[in-house]
PDB file of all heavy atoms in Angstrom:
ATOM      1  N   ILE D 325      -7.562 -32.404 -38.989  1.00 76.00           N
ATOM      2  CA  ILE D 325      -8.024 -32.717 -40.345  1.00 76.00           C
ATOM      3  C   ILE D 325      -7.115 -33.812 -40.898  1.00 76.00           C
ATOM      4  O   ILE D 325      -5.977 -33.952 -40.487  1.00 76.00           O
ATOM      5  CB  ILE D 325      -8.028 -31.493 -41.289  1.00 76.00           C
ATOM      6  CG1 ILE D 325      -6.655 -30.846 -41.349  1.00 76.00           C
ATOM      7  CG2 ILE D 325      -9.083 -30.489 -40.893  1.00 76.00           C
ATOM      8  CD1 ILE D 325      -6.532 -29.853 -42.478  1.00 76.00           C
ATOM      9  N   PRO D 326      -7.618 -34.598 -41.840  1.00 82.00           N
ATOM     10  CA  PRO D 326      -6.843 -35.738 -42.310  1.00 82.00           C
ATOM     11  C   PRO D 326      -5.742 -35.333 -43.286  1.00 82.00           C
ATOM     12  O   PRO D 326      -5.714 -34.207 -43.777  1.00 82.00           O
ATOM     13  CB  PRO D 326      -7.895 -36.577 -43.040  1.00 82.00           C
ATOM     14  CG  PRO D 326      -8.897 -35.599 -43.510  1.00 82.00           C
ATOM     15  CD  PRO D 326      -8.938 -34.515 -42.478  1.00 82.00           C
ATOM     16  N   ASN D 327      -4.838 -36.275 -43.559  1.00 85.00           N
ATOM     17  CA  ASN D 327      -3.893 -36.092 -44.660  1.00 85.00           C
ATOM     18  C   ASN D 327      -4.682 -36.134 -45.964  1.00 85.00           C
ATOM     19  O   ASN D 327      -5.615 -36.925 -46.106  1.00 85.00           O
ATOM     20  CB  ASN D 327      -2.892 -37.248 -44.675  1.00 85.00           C
ATOM     21  CG  ASN D 327      -1.914 -37.170 -43.536  1.00 85.00           C
ATOM     22  OD1 ASN D 327      -2.060 -36.337 -42.642  1.00 85.00           O
ATOM     23  ND2 ASN D 327      -0.923 -38.032 -43.555  1.00 85.00           N
ATOM     24  N   TYR D 328      -4.280 -35.317 -46.912  1.00 87.00           N
ATOM     25  CA  TYR D 328      -4.970 -35.378 -48.192  1.00 87.00           C
ATOM     26  C   TYR D 328      -4.077 -34.867 -49.304  1.00 87.00           C
ATOM     27  O   TYR D 328      -3.114 -34.148 -49.072  1.00 87.00           O
ATOM     28  CB  TYR D 328      -6.267 -34.566 -48.158  1.00 87.00           C
ATOM     29  CG  TYR D 328      -6.064 -33.077 -48.044  1.00 87.00           C
ATOM     30  CD1 TYR D 328      -5.928 -32.291 -49.191  1.00 87.00           C
ATOM     31  CD2 TYR D 328      -6.001 -32.458 -46.811  1.00 87.00           C
ATOM     32  CE1 TYR D 328      -5.726 -30.919 -49.087  1.00 87.00           C
ATOM     33  CE2 TYR D 328      -5.794 -31.097 -46.707  1.00 87.00           C
ATOM     34  CZ  TYR D 328      -5.662 -30.340 -47.844  1.00 87.00           C
ATOM     35  OH  TYR D 328      -5.462 -28.991 -47.752  1.00 87.00           O
ATOM     36  N   ARG D 329      -4.424 -35.268 -50.499  1.00 88.00           N
ATOM     37  CA  ARG D 329      -3.824 -34.725 -51.711  1.00 88.00           C
ATOM     38  C   ARG D 329      -4.944 -34.125 -52.520  1.00 88.00           C
ATOM     39  O   ARG D 329      -6.025 -34.706 -52.611  1.00 88.00           O
ATOM     40  CB  ARG D 329      -3.214 -35.852 -52.548  1.00 88.00           C
ATOM     41  CG  ARG D 329      -1.814 -36.220 -52.199  1.00 88.00           C
ATOM     42  CD  ARG D 329      -1.196 -36.972 -53.348  1.00 88.00           C
ATOM     43  NE  ARG D 329      -2.106 -37.962 -53.885  1.00 88.00           N
ATOM     44  CZ  ARG D 329      -1.890 -39.268 -53.802  1.00 88.00           C
ATOM     45  NH1 ARG D 329      -0.839 -39.719 -53.202  1.00 88.00           N
ATOM     46  NH2 ARG D 329      -2.741 -40.102 -54.337  1.00 88.00           N
ATOM     47  N   ALA D 330      -4.693 -32.981 -53.102  1.00 89.00           N
ATOM     48  CA  ALA D 330      -5.739 -32.372 -53.919  1.00 89.00           C
ATOM     49  C   ALA D 330      -5.133 -31.905 -55.218  1.00 89.00           C
ATOM     50  O   ALA D 330      -4.028 -31.378 -55.247  1.00 89.00           O
ATOM     51  CB  ALA D 330      -6.383 -31.213 -53.176  1.00 89.00           C
ATOM     52  N   GLU D 331      -5.850 -32.137 -56.300  1.00 91.00           N
ATOM     53  CA  GLU D 331      -5.420 -31.669 -57.611  1.00 91.00           C
ATOM     54  C   GLU D 331      -6.527 -30.798 -58.178  1.00 91.00           C
ATOM     55  O   GLU D 331      -7.695 -31.148 -58.100  1.00 91.00           O
ATOM     56  CB  GLU D 331      -5.192 -32.853 -58.554  1.00 91.00           C
ATOM     57  CG  GLU D 331      -3.996 -33.688 -58.176  1.00 91.00           C
ATOM     58  CD  GLU D 331      -4.303 -35.171 -58.099  1.00 91.00           C
ATOM     59  OE1 GLU D 331      -5.203 -35.629 -58.821  1.00 91.00           O
ATOM     60  OE2 GLU D 331      -3.656 -35.865 -57.298  1.00 91.00           O
ATOM     61  N   ASN D 332      -6.113 -29.665 -58.698  1.00 92.00           N
ATOM     62  CA  ASN D 332      -7.087 -28.764 -59.317  1.00 92.00           C
ATOM     63  C   ASN D 332      -6.646 -28.487 -60.739  1.00 92.00           C
ATOM     64  O   ASN D 332      -5.481 -28.191 -60.976  1.00 92.00           O
ATOM     65  CB  ASN D 332      -7.115 -27.409 -58.610  1.00 92.00           C
ATOM     66  CG  ASN D 332      -7.535 -27.551 -57.180  1.00 92.00           C
ATOM     67  OD1 ASN D 332      -8.653 -27.909 -56.895  1.00 92.00           O
ATOM     68  ND2 ASN D 332      -6.618 -27.293 -56.262  1.00 92.00           N
ATOM     69  N   VAL D 333      -7.575 -28.541 -61.652  1.00 94.00           N
ATOM     70  CA  VAL D 333      -7.297 -28.127 -63.020  1.00 94.00           C
ATOM     71  C   VAL D 333      -8.443 -27.233 -63.461  1.00 94.00           C
ATOM     72  O   VAL D 333      -9.609 -27.548 -63.209  1.00 94.00           O
ATOM     73  CB  VAL D 333      -7.209 -29.343 -63.971  1.00 94.00           C
ATOM     74  CG1 VAL D 333      -6.745 -28.883 -65.352  1.00 94.00           C
ATOM     75  CG2 VAL D 333      -6.259 -30.380 -63.430  1.00 94.00           C
ATOM     76  N   GLY D 334      -8.092 -26.119 -64.055  1.00 94.00           N
ATOM     77  CA  GLY D 334      -9.136 -25.212 -64.496  1.00 94.00           C
ATOM     78  C   GLY D 334      -8.767 -24.577 -65.814  1.00 94.00           C
ATOM     79  O   GLY D 334      -7.587 -24.435 -66.146  1.00 94.00           O
ATOM     80  N   ALA D 335      -9.761 -24.228 -66.586  1.00 94.00           N
ATOM     81  CA  ALA D 335      -9.530 -23.525 -67.855  1.00 94.00           C
ATOM     82  C   ALA D 335     -10.492 -22.357 -67.926  1.00 94.00           C
ATOM     83  O   ALA D 335     -11.643 -22.475 -67.491  1.00 94.00           O
ATOM     84  CB  ALA D 335      -9.756 -24.462 -69.030  1.00 94.00           C
ATOM     85  N   TRP D 336     -10.008 -21.208 -68.427  1.00 93.00           N
ATOM     86  CA  TRP D 336     -10.882 -20.047 -68.454  1.00 93.00           C
ATOM     87  C   TRP D 336     -10.664 -19.252 -69.723  1.00 93.00           C
ATOM     88  O   TRP D 336      -9.655 -19.373 -70.406  1.00 93.00           O
ATOM     89  CB  TRP D 336     -10.646 -19.170 -67.227  1.00 93.00           C
ATOM     90  CG  TRP D 336      -9.212 -18.862 -66.960  1.00 93.00           C
ATOM     91  CD1 TRP D 336      -8.375 -19.550 -66.139  1.00 93.00           C
ATOM     92  CD2 TRP D 336      -8.430 -17.811 -67.515  1.00 93.00           C
ATOM     93  NE1 TRP D 336      -7.140 -19.006 -66.144  1.00 93.00           N
ATOM     94  CE2 TRP D 336      -7.129 -17.925 -66.978  1.00 93.00           C
ATOM     95  CE3 TRP D 336      -8.687 -16.771 -68.406  1.00 93.00           C
ATOM     96  CZ2 TRP D 336      -6.105 -17.056 -67.303  1.00 93.00           C
ATOM     97  CZ3 TRP D 336      -7.664 -15.896 -68.727  1.00 93.00           C
ATOM     98  CH2 TRP D 336      -6.395 -16.038 -68.186  1.00 93.00           C
ATOM     99  N   TRP D 337     -11.625 -18.406 -69.984  1.00 93.00           N
ATOM    100  CA  TRP D 337     -11.621 -17.628 -71.210  1.00 93.00           C
ATOM    101  C   TRP D 337     -12.351 -16.327 -70.917  1.00 93.00           C
ATOM    102  O   TRP D 337     -13.461 -16.332 -70.398  1.00 93.00           O
ATOM    103  CB  TRP D 337     -12.332 -18.436 -72.299  1.00 93.00           C
ATOM    104  CG  TRP D 337     -12.464 -17.747 -73.604  1.00 93.00           C
ATOM    105  CD1 TRP D 337     -11.519 -17.036 -74.265  1.00 93.00           C
ATOM    106  CD2 TRP D 337     -13.634 -17.706 -74.419  1.00 93.00           C
ATOM    107  NE1 TRP D 337     -12.006 -16.565 -75.454  1.00 93.00           N
ATOM    108  CE2 TRP D 337     -13.303 -16.960 -75.571  1.00 93.00           C
ATOM    109  CE3 TRP D 337     -14.925 -18.242 -74.296  1.00 93.00           C
ATOM    110  CZ2 TRP D 337     -14.213 -16.710 -76.581  1.00 93.00           C
ATOM    111  CZ3 TRP D 337     -15.832 -17.997 -75.316  1.00 93.00           C
ATOM    112  CH2 TRP D 337     -15.477 -17.234 -76.445  1.00 93.00           C
ATOM    113  N   ILE D 338     -11.700 -15.199 -71.217  1.00 92.00           N
ATOM    114  CA  ILE D 338     -12.315 -13.888 -70.948  1.00 92.00           C
ATOM    115  C   ILE D 338     -12.285 -13.042 -72.211  1.00 92.00           C
ATOM    116  O   ILE D 338     -11.259 -12.955 -72.905  1.00 92.00           O
ATOM    117  CB  ILE D 338     -11.569 -13.147 -69.819  1.00 92.00           C
ATOM    118  CG1 ILE D 338     -11.737 -13.875 -68.486  1.00 92.00           C
ATOM    119  CG2 ILE D 338     -12.079 -11.721 -69.670  1.00 92.00           C
ATOM    120  CD1 ILE D 338     -10.922 -13.292 -67.364  1.00 92.00           C
ATOM    121  N   GLU D 339     -13.396 -12.430 -72.512  1.00 91.00           N
ATOM    122  CA  GLU D 339     -13.487 -11.478 -73.621  1.00 91.00           C
ATOM    123  C   GLU D 339     -13.768 -10.105 -73.035  1.00 91.00           C
ATOM    124  O   GLU D 339     -14.621  -9.955 -72.172  1.00 91.00           O
ATOM    125  CB  GLU D 339     -14.659 -11.824 -74.550  1.00 91.00           C
ATOM    126  CG  GLU D 339     -14.467 -13.019 -75.433  1.00 91.00           C
ATOM    127  CD  GLU D 339     -13.563 -12.756 -76.634  1.00 91.00           C
ATOM    128  OE1 GLU D 339     -13.407 -11.577 -77.028  1.00 91.00           O
ATOM    129  OE2 GLU D 339     -13.009 -13.739 -77.158  1.00 91.00           O
ATOM    130  N   ARG D 340     -13.032  -9.107 -73.517  1.00 90.00           N
ATOM    131  CA  ARG D 340     -13.281  -7.757 -73.029  1.00 90.00           C
ATOM    132  C   ARG D 340     -13.475  -6.835 -74.231  1.00 90.00           C
ATOM    133  O   ARG D 340     -12.704  -6.889 -75.187  1.00 90.00           O
ATOM    134  CB  ARG D 340     -12.083  -7.289 -72.208  1.00 90.00           C
ATOM    135  CG  ARG D 340     -12.225  -5.903 -71.628  1.00 90.00           C
ATOM    136  CD  ARG D 340     -10.900  -5.490 -71.011  1.00 90.00           C
ATOM    137  NE  ARG D 340     -10.856  -5.839 -69.604  1.00 90.00           N
ATOM    138  CZ  ARG D 340     -11.037  -4.937 -68.627  1.00 90.00           C
ATOM    139  NH1 ARG D 340     -11.264  -3.685 -68.904  1.00 90.00           N
ATOM    140  NH2 ARG D 340     -10.973  -5.318 -67.370  1.00 90.00           N
ATOM    141  N   TRP D 341     -14.492  -6.042 -74.163  1.00 89.00           N
ATOM    142  CA  TRP D 341     -14.798  -5.123 -75.259  1.00 89.00           C
ATOM    143  C   TRP D 341     -14.690  -3.696 -74.747  1.00 89.00           C
ATOM    144  O   TRP D 341     -15.453  -3.278 -73.881  1.00 89.00           O
ATOM    145  CB  TRP D 341     -16.213  -5.396 -75.782  1.00 89.00           C
ATOM    146  CG  TRP D 341     -16.580  -4.535 -76.965  1.00 89.00           C
ATOM    147  CD1 TRP D 341     -16.077  -4.613 -78.222  1.00 89.00           C
ATOM    148  CD2 TRP D 341     -17.530  -3.481 -76.984  1.00 89.00           C
ATOM    149  NE1 TRP D 341     -16.655  -3.671 -79.032  1.00 89.00           N
ATOM    150  CE2 TRP D 341     -17.559  -2.957 -78.285  1.00 89.00           C
ATOM    151  CE3 TRP D 341     -18.376  -2.924 -76.005  1.00 89.00           C
ATOM    152  CZ2 TRP D 341     -18.389  -1.900 -78.658  1.00 89.00           C
ATOM    153  CZ3 TRP D 341     -19.201  -1.875 -76.389  1.00 89.00           C
ATOM    154  CH2 TRP D 341     -19.201  -1.370 -77.709  1.00 89.00           C
ATOM    155  N   ASN D 342     -13.659  -2.961 -75.230  1.00 84.00           N
ATOM    156  CA  ASN D 342     -13.486  -1.567 -74.850  1.00 84.00           C
ATOM    157  C   ASN D 342     -14.244  -0.717 -75.866  1.00 84.00           C
ATOM    158  O   ASN D 342     -13.666  -0.216 -76.822  1.00 84.00           O
ATOM    159  CB  ASN D 342     -12.018  -1.184 -74.858  1.00 84.00           C
ATOM    160  CG  ASN D 342     -11.285  -1.901 -73.741  1.00 84.00           C
ATOM    161  OD1 ASN D 342     -11.589  -1.712 -72.578  1.00 84.00           O
ATOM    162  ND2 ASN D 342     -10.344  -2.744 -74.105  1.00 84.00           N
ATOM    163  N   GLY D 343     -15.515  -0.627 -75.672  1.00 76.00           N
ATOM    164  CA  GLY D 343     -16.376   0.013 -76.664  1.00 76.00           C
ATOM    165  C   GLY D 343     -15.928   1.412 -77.003  1.00 76.00           C
ATOM    166  O   GLY D 343     -15.489   1.712 -78.110  1.00 76.00           O
ATOM    167  N   ASP D 344     -16.017   2.299 -76.049  1.00 75.00           N
ATOM    168  CA  ASP D 344     -15.578   3.668 -76.264  1.00 75.00           C
ATOM    169  C   ASP D 344     -15.240   4.237 -74.901  1.00 75.00           C
ATOM    170  O   ASP D 344     -15.077   3.491 -73.939  1.00 75.00           O
ATOM    171  CB  ASP D 344     -16.682   4.470 -76.960  1.00 75.00           C
ATOM    172  CG  ASP D 344     -18.037   4.108 -76.403  1.00 75.00           C
ATOM    173  OD1 ASP D 344     -18.135   3.934 -75.173  1.00 75.00           O
ATOM    174  OD2 ASP D 344     -18.996   3.957 -77.184  1.00 75.00           O
ATOM    175  N   SER D 345     -15.157   5.524 -74.796  1.00 79.00           N
ATOM    176  CA  SER D 345     -14.787   6.110 -73.507  1.00 79.00           C
ATOM    177  C   SER D 345     -15.877   5.896 -72.462  1.00 79.00           C
ATOM    178  O   SER D 345     -15.648   6.080 -71.275  1.00 79.00           O
ATOM    179  CB  SER D 345     -14.506   7.595 -73.679  1.00 79.00           C
ATOM    180  OG  SER D 345     -15.665   8.210 -74.205  1.00 79.00           O
ATOM    181  N   ILE D 346     -17.043   5.498 -72.892  1.00 87.00           N
ATOM    182  CA  ILE D 346     -18.140   5.362 -71.922  1.00 87.00           C
ATOM    183  C   ILE D 346     -18.286   3.913 -71.436  1.00 87.00           C
ATOM    184  O   ILE D 346     -18.412   3.661 -70.250  1.00 87.00           O
ATOM    185  CB  ILE D 346     -19.477   5.843 -72.550  1.00 87.00           C
ATOM    186  CG1 ILE D 346     -19.388   7.346 -72.796  1.00 87.00           C
ATOM    187  CG2 ILE D 346     -20.660   5.518 -71.637  1.00 87.00           C
ATOM    188  CD1 ILE D 346     -20.551   7.913 -73.536  1.00 87.00           C
ATOM    189  N   LEU D 347     -18.232   2.971 -72.345  1.00 90.00           N
ATOM    190  CA  LEU D 347     -18.655   1.617 -71.996  1.00 90.00           C
ATOM    191  C   LEU D 347     -17.526   0.590 -72.167  1.00 90.00           C
ATOM    192  O   LEU D 347     -16.823   0.581 -73.176  1.00 90.00           O
ATOM    193  CB  LEU D 347     -19.836   1.229 -72.883  1.00 90.00           C
ATOM    194  CG  LEU D 347     -20.498  -0.109 -72.576  1.00 90.00           C
ATOM    195  CD1 LEU D 347     -21.187  -0.081 -71.235  1.00 90.00           C
ATOM    196  CD2 LEU D 347     -21.482  -0.463 -73.679  1.00 90.00           C
ATOM    197  N   THR D 348     -17.358  -0.275 -71.175  1.00 91.00           N
ATOM    198  CA  THR D 348     -16.493  -1.448 -71.294  1.00 91.00           C
ATOM    199  C   THR D 348     -17.305  -2.664 -70.884  1.00 91.00           C
ATOM    200  O   THR D 348     -17.999  -2.631 -69.864  1.00 91.00           O
ATOM    201  CB  THR D 348     -15.267  -1.330 -70.368  1.00 91.00           C
ATOM    202  OG1 THR D 348     -14.547  -0.164 -70.727  1.00 91.00           O
ATOM    203  CG2 THR D 348     -14.362  -2.534 -70.488  1.00 91.00           C
ATOM    204  N   LEU D 349     -17.238  -3.703 -71.672  1.00 93.00           N
ATOM    205  CA  LEU D 349     -17.957  -4.925 -71.334  1.00 93.00           C
ATOM    206  C   LEU D 349     -16.965  -6.063 -71.180  1.00 93.00           C
ATOM    207  O   LEU D 349     -15.936  -6.105 -71.854  1.00 93.00           O
ATOM    208  CB  LEU D 349     -18.953  -5.292 -72.447  1.00 93.00           C
ATOM    209  CG  LEU D 349     -20.142  -4.370 -72.650  1.00 93.00           C
ATOM    210  CD1 LEU D 349     -20.930  -4.815 -73.858  1.00 93.00           C
ATOM    211  CD2 LEU D 349     -21.026  -4.336 -71.412  1.00 93.00           C
ATOM    212  N   GLU D 350     -17.280  -6.976 -70.294  1.00 93.00           N
ATOM    213  CA  GLU D 350     -16.393  -8.107 -70.076  1.00 93.00           C
ATOM    214  C   GLU D 350     -17.233  -9.343 -69.826  1.00 93.00           C
ATOM    215  O   GLU D 350     -18.231  -9.286 -69.115  1.00 93.00           O
ATOM    216  CB  GLU D 350     -15.499  -7.837 -68.871  1.00 93.00           C
ATOM    217  CG  GLU D 350     -14.325  -8.761 -68.778  1.00 93.00           C
ATOM    218  CD  GLU D 350     -13.459  -8.434 -67.581  1.00 93.00           C
ATOM    219  OE1 GLU D 350     -13.872  -8.760 -66.458  1.00 93.00           O
ATOM    220  OE2 GLU D 350     -12.388  -7.847 -67.770  1.00 93.00           O
ATOM    221  N   ALA D 351     -16.827 -10.445 -70.431  1.00 95.00           N
ATOM    222  CA  ALA D 351     -17.529 -11.701 -70.175  1.00 95.00           C
ATOM    223  C   ALA D 351     -16.489 -12.796 -70.018  1.00 95.00           C
ATOM    224  O   ALA D 351     -15.473 -12.804 -70.717  1.00 95.00           O
ATOM    225  CB  ALA D 351     -18.471 -12.033 -71.321  1.00 95.00           C
TER     226      ALA D 351
END
Side-chain angles (χ1 to χ4, degrees):
Chain D
I325 56 167
N327 288 8
Y328 68 89
R329 273 199 316 246
E331 291 130 29
N332 298 294
V333 187
W336 49 266
W337 177 44
I338 293 174
E339 286 283 338
R340 181 188 268 258
W341 183 70
N342 292 298
D344 40 40
S345 58
I346 293 174
L347 185 67
T348 301
L349 292 175
E350 195 179 75

